[in-house]
Amino acid sequence: MRQRPIAISVIALLALGIMTVRHPSADIRVITHQVNDPAPRQVSAAIDLGVMAFSLLITWTAKRLG
């Protein structure tokens, strides 16, 4: 009985320590624009699920008219 509050305190401190550590995130980039393109088209998105996060960036060169 006397060890129960100690165990709860230890578990609470461990949970707090785990929450303060930066959660892992994936950074995915698909870069297909030409190097000399001064303004490539791009789409970016980010999804954060709480436990893990994904960040996606896609760039491309648009066809030039004329």
Side-chain angles (χ1 to χ4, degrees):
M1 261 333 240
R2 298 176 78 195
Q3 293 179 347
R4 183 176 242 176
I6 295 171
I8 292 173
S9 299
V10 169
I11 291 171
L13 286 173
L14 285 174
L16 183 63
I18 290 171
M19 286 190 298
T20 58
V21 175
R22 187 173 182 270
H23 64 279
S25 61
D27 184 14
I28 303 168
R29 295 171 187 252
V30 179
I31 301 180
T32 60
H33 67 274
Q34 295 175 358
V35 176
N36 60 357
D37 188 359
R41 308 295 190 261
Q42 68 179 12
V43 173
S44 64
I47 301 172
D48 189 355
L49 303 174
V51 177
M52 61 184 161
F54 297 96
S55 177
L56 177 66
L57 171 66
I58 300 173
T59 63
W60 70 94
T61 296
K63 267 191 169 176
R64 305 236 190 274
L65 297 175

